[in-house]
Amino acid sequence: MNKRILYVVASILVILVVAYNLQSYLTDDNVPYSLQKLYIFHGIAVLIVYLGIEIIHDKMPNQIGTAYLTLMFLKIGTFILLFKSTIFSIKDLTLTDRLGLVIPFFLFLIAETACIAKLLKSK
């Protein structure tokens, strides 16, 4: 279990650093929101969701689907609460800026899903 968690943490950190630097380089930091805060939020949220699923998988393996949906709703709700003043108050978001918001979400969602699928296959 500990080895698997360390693997997930390392994977998320690599994705966070590589994707942030790539997006920062491609957009030249001309986005009206903080890319750094956006990536850090998604990285921490993925780790919290994965750890929650890891704990629930050990105690109540039949409730993983419900737990995952609940954690996803909490993650999206927290994102909206934390970033509503910076993102939702901007009226003129270009397509590049909108993609810059969506790409980290889906990138970390794919990583999170792959890690959880690996967890479910292992047992």
Side-chain angles (χ1 to χ4, degrees):
M1 181 170 135
N2 291 334
K3 192 181 245 187
R4 190 171 48 238
I5 292 172
L6 289 176
Y7 171 77
V8 169
V9 170
S11 299
I12 296 302
L13 285 176
V14 167
I15 291 170
L16 191 141
V17 169
V18 170
Y20 169 74
N21 286 324
L22 183 65
Q23 187 172 355
S24 179
Y25 174 75
L26 292 175
T27 59
D28 296 326
D29 291 330
N30 291 332
V31 291
Y33 47 83
S34 173
L35 272 180
Q36 185 178 19
K37 289 180 183 177
L38 188 68
Y39 273 92
I40 288 173
F41 169 79
H42 284 299
I44 291 171
V46 166
L47 292 176
I48 290 171
V49 169
Y50 179 78
L51 291 174
I53 295 298
E54 181 87 39
I55 291 167
I56 290 168
H57 187 266
D58 289 339
K59 297 185 189 282
M60 298 178 294
N62 294 334
Q63 298 299 321
I64 290 178
T66 306
Y68 184 69
L69 286 175
T70 303
L71 289 169
M72 286 303 296
F73 283 126
L74 289 172
K75 177 177 157 181
I76 293 169
T78 305
F79 176 80
I80 290 170
L81 285 175
L82 292 176
F83 290 96
K84 72 177 178 181
S85 62
T86 56
I87 293 172
F88 298 117
S89 66
I90 302 169
K91 302 247 190 264
D92 298 328
L93 280 177
T94 63
L95 179 62
T96 307
D97 294 342
R98 290 179 189 171
L99 285 175
L101 285 172
V102 174
I103 288 172
F105 175 75
F106 283 112
L107 180 68
F108 283 104
L109 181 65
I110 291 167
E112 175 182 296
T113 306
C115 292
I116 291 172
K118 188 172 181 176
L119 168 69
L120 295 176
K121 283 183 185 179
S122 71
K123 293 188 179 183

